[in-house]
Amino acid sequence: MFFVDTLELEGLGNRSYLAGGPRTAVVIDPPRDIDQVIAAAARRGVRIAFVAETHVHNDYVTGGPELARVTGASYLVPAAARVSFARIPVADGDTVTVDEGLVLRAIATPGHTPHHTSYVLEEDGHGVAAFTGGSLLIGTVGRPDLVEPRLTERLARAQHASAHRLADELDDEVPVLPTHGFGSFCSSSQAEGDATTIGRERRTNDALTLDVDTFVAKMLAGLDDVPAYYTHMGPANAAGPAPVDLTPPQRANAEEIASRLAAGEWVVDLRSRVAFAEGHVAGSLNFEGEGKLATYLAWLIPWGKPVTLLAETPQQIADAQRELARVGIDRPAAATGDPAGWVREGEQLVSFPRARFADLAAVRGRGEDVVVLDVRRDSERAGGYIDGSVHIPVHELHGRIGEVPDGTVWVHCAGGMRAAIAASLLDAAGRDVVAVDDGFDAATDAGLSLTSG
């Protein structure tokens, strides 16, 4: 009998897989923090014999080289991927025996990248699981625009062909197990659900129900913004990432926090947006540890700038450190405990108000002149926006704060998390700000006039 265990990377919206038989296993697309993979194999009582990459990743740092080194596993990487480390190059049709009666077969599925390769686990010659990486996802496919603009349309057409190849070669009941598509920006669109099969995709996936020209036009029209840190992930993975160091970071006291802020470094408060608004270190920024921390912090921060993390407990720091290491933000300084201890004697925490869309409607109804800042992405704003609002996506705000008009800024997103990030950026820049902590649907209910995009 075979098994497949899923390892969730919820913050980044990805999955890795451990699959095998009674004695040995293969790991597909491992995260950088390989300890959790090794623990999963230990729970199964299996030896990791192979580590396989579907492609050189654009959205996280792989743990593949280190996992292969630590376990002695054979490291399988698509032959056409340009990498600077030793690996076993895998070409279309290549196979390896994972365990008795279990074979892993490579299928070339270009599209997400030119070298993308999917893997089918076969038991006694029958496909039982398809590890599709960034090729065929749940209800969609991996985006084709992360490699080079000149290749985007060509890769989009390759995605269509690759999806059809998988559907042609595999039976309807074979589970489709992608790496991307659970919130990752590597997905060309966000799909619903967390499980699928070849048969379901054959019925519902645009790549398998639309002709190639219609599919390509629809997909390219719907592509969203690309997180800025993606620029750094591919080169890091191609070079061979350094082993991750998750030992506790250096402790930062109030004097060091002040010094780091004065030097222009980023001090990031991981607490809830409610707690941050009520009292925080002046100049610190709010990226909730329970939100998409790695995605948005890595997207906004000038790459390579040192980070200090503030949190209520050491565990919150450890969780954040692990998540940030997955995107190459290593060795932060840190402080935990009572926020009052994060400021020097004689200094005070600062705060700003939170509100609902109903409060904004009331302020406007009284004729008060306020700035409404919409920090959603372009694709979200196209669905409708508050009349008279200014639009700067949150990932652009750090470099465009000077464009925000004078006055008190009421900042909103779709739900509150990104508005909190934006409010902290504005607050750190000395602006008067109100964070709208509300779902955007409430804007209409509050009587605010909306314009269709």
Side-chain angles (χ1 to χ4, degrees):
M1 284 292 294
F2 73 95
F3 72 87
V4 177
D5 289 342
T6 301
L7 290 78
E8 297 272 2
L9 300 177
E10 293 183 5
L12 295 174
N14 288 321
R15 290 178 176 177
S16 300
Y17 301 94
L18 173 73
R23 292 169 295 278
T24 50
V26 59
V27 178
I28 309 292
D29 291 341
R32 192 179 182 199
D33 47 324
I34 62 171
D35 56 329
Q36 62 176 323
V37 183
I38 293 171
R43 287 192 296 270
R44 282 283 183 181
V46 296
R47 177 176 63 87
I48 297 173
F50 298 96
V51 176
E53 304 279 10
T54 56
H55 60 294
V56 175
H57 303 283
N58 286 291
D59 62 334
Y60 69 91
V61 179
T62 181
E66 181 66 2
L67 182 60
R69 186 189 69 81
V70 167
T71 63
S74 298
Y75 190 29
L76 312 179
V77 178
R82 295 183 179 275
V83 296
S84 302
F85 49 81
R87 92 287 197 199
I88 296 175
V90 176
D92 184 43
D94 285 353
T95 62
V96 295
T97 299
V98 177
D99 205 332
E100 185 176 353
L102 280 180
V103 169
L104 192 72
R105 177 168 62 94
I107 300 180
T109 49
H112 186 48
T113 65
H115 61 264
H116 191 282
T117 299
S118 298
Y119 299 93
V120 176
L121 186 66
E122 298 177 340
E123 184 178 46
D124 298 328
H126 299 287
V128 292
F131 302 100
T132 55
S135 184
L136 187 64
L137 311 185
I138 299 177
T140 184
V141 295
R143 60 193 300 167
D145 61 328
L146 302 179
V147 177
E148 161 60 48
R150 293 172 298 173
L151 299 179
T152 296
E153 182 172 348
R154 186 191 314 171
L155 290 176
R157 292 181 177 277
Q159 278 290 51
H160 187 271
S162 292
H164 278 266
R165 182 178 179 192
L166 289 168
D168 290 344
E169 292 194 14
L170 300 173
D171 295 335
D172 279 354
E173 66 271 16
V174 174
V176 174
L177 303 171
T179 301
H180 304 313
F182 309 96
S184 167
F185 281 85
C186 271
S187 177
S188 62
S189 63
Q190 295 307 315
E192 297 181 1
D194 61 1
T196 192
T197 62
I198 289 291
R200 178 182 170 190
E201 294 309 304
R202 200 191 308 276
R203 297 188 302 271
T204 62
N205 196 305
D206 282 351
L208 297 171
T209 60
L210 300 177
D211 67 84
V212 62
D213 291 333
T214 304
F215 165 76
V216 168
K218 182 178 180 180
M219 179 170 63
L220 296 185
L223 292 174
D224 214 331
D225 298 309
V226 179
Y229 71 92
Y230 279 24
T231 302
H232 306 281
M233 299 297 97
N237 286 324
V244 67
D245 179 2
L246 295 178
T247 57
Q250 171 189 330
R251 184 172 178 81
N253 58 25
E255 193 65 42
E256 182 173 358
I257 291 170
S259 176
R260 288 177 177 272
L261 282 168
E265 297 181 11
W266 277 34
V267 173
V268 172
D269 192 324
L270 302 169
R271 295 175 301 150
S272 75
R273 53 186 181 263
V274 176
F276 182 87
E278 290 176 348
H280 57 271
V281 177
S284 63
L285 305 175
N286 185 212
F287 290 80
E288 292 179 304
E290 298 299 317
K292 294 179 74 68
L293 171 66
T295 295
Y296 282 101
L297 179 55
W299 198 339
L300 271 67
I301 192 171
W303 198 252
K305 187 174 285 292
V307 177
T308 298
L309 302 177
L310 308 180
E312 294 168 330
T313 68
Q315 187 59 52
Q316 291 169 339
I317 294 288
D319 291 344
Q321 183 182 1
R322 177 180 293 271
E323 188 169 351
L324 293 175
R326 292 171 180 163
V327 292
I329 298 177
D330 294 339
R331 306 310 302 156
T336 61
D338 183 1
W342 299 339
V343 293
R344 295 173 296 190
E345 186 175 353
E347 297 177 339
Q348 300 294 322
L349 299 175
V350 297
S351 63
F352 55 75
R354 296 165 51 250
R356 302 289 187 181
F357 281 111
D359 302 313
L360 175 58
V363 167
R364 278 190 155 188
R366 294 194 296 268
E368 296 184 29
D369 186 18
V370 298
V371 178
V372 179
L373 177 62
D374 180 352
V375 296
R376 297 174 301 160
R377 296 187 298 276
D378 291 345
S379 59
E380 296 171 286
R381 187 171 170 89
Y385 56 89
I386 296 172
D387 289 351
S389 60
V390 176
H391 180 226
I392 302 176
V394 68
H395 58 272
E396 299 178 9
L397 182 58
H398 180 245
R400 298 177 59 188
I401 285 180
E403 299 177 30
V404 180
D406 294 338
T408 299
V409 184
W410 289 61
V411 58
H412 80 85
C413 59
M417 181 192 74
R418 288 172 293 169
I421 295 172
S424 71
L425 286 164
L426 291 161
D427 177 70
R431 298 296 303 270
D432 291 330
V433 64
V434 178
V436 178
D437 193 359
D438 208 354
F440 189 68
D441 290 345
T444 301
D445 297 338
L448 292 165
S449 298
L450 267 60
T451 298
S452 299

